[in-house]
Structure formats: structure tokens, C-alpha cells
Amino acid sequence: QVQLVESGGGSVQPGGSLRLSCATSGFDFNITTMAWYRQTPGKQRDAVARVTTRGGATYADSVKGRFMISRDNGKNMVYLQMNSLKPEDTAVYYCQRYFDHSYWGQGTQVTVSS
């Protein structure tokens, strides 16, 4: 029943920008802290940003000042605006509930290269 559908990934040059979107359903979005995770081959999937129900945001040090997470509680949507992208940002990005990882979506690929 839970659905997490990421979109907006692509291939960009260093310094470029992307905006990821996540459409959700099947749970009470408005009482759920949401997050974006990313994973590269052979590495652990790590949180890069989270946003509380009222919009308060926190970020991993690696993306602080470059990424912005936001949400639209009326549409059950989560977004990740990524600016000043670096090659090390290359990963599959996943939208997820911060405290419940019982279901994962397909993710969206972000590739940053020259």
C-alpha cells in the first residue's frame, strides 16, 4: 500500500542543479518526518536531508548549503533541490520515511560528471 515514487534525476555537469520529486501515498504523510537517502554501488544508503512535518530541515554536512529539502503536505510530496552539484553527489536517491524503512521505492539516478 505504501508508495514512494521518486523522479527528477538525470545527468548534469559539476556545478549544475536538479530538483527531485517524490510522490507518496499509503500512509499518514502529515505526521511523518521524511528524508532523502542516497546510495552508490558497494556503499551504505545514507540520509542526506530530512524534513519534519512542519517543514524544519536538517542536512548531512556533505550537502549543507547546497541542497534544500521541502514538502507539500497538501499534495503528499517531498522535494530535494540540489545546487552546485559535485561528482561525489552521484548516486541513486531515495525518498523515505525517516523512522520507518519497511518499503523502498525504485529511486532516481543522479549522475554528476564532466
Side-chain angles (χ1 to χ4, degrees), residues 32-113:
T32 304
T33 295
M34 300 296 297
W36 285 93
Y37 294 75
R38 68 185 182 188
Q39 185 175 36
T40 56
K43 296 184 178 179
Q44 186 176 345
R45 186 153 43 197
D46 295 323
V48 297
R50 69 178 180 189
V51 60
T52 66
T53 58
R54 298 297 298 271
T58 56
Y59 302 91
D61 287 342
S62 58
V63 307
K64 198 169 297 180
R66 300 187 297 118
F67 290 11
M68 187 183 78
I69 189 171
S70 61
R71 65 192 295 156
D72 186 336
N73 287 341
K75 297 181 178 180
N76 293 351
M77 295 283 292
V78 191
Y79 306 95
L80 186 68
Q81 178 66 47
M82 305 185 295
N83 300 320
S84 302
L85 283 162
K86 304 175 180 179
E88 50 262 47
D89 295 320
T90 296
V92 178
Y93 284 73
Y94 300 86
C95 178
Q96 183 59 277
R97 297 169 290 182
Y98 191 74
F99 296 108
D100 186 348
H101 298 176
S102 57
Y103 174 83
W104 291 89
Q106 291 294 309
T108 185
Q109 176 73 49
V110 171
T111 301
V112 185
S113 66

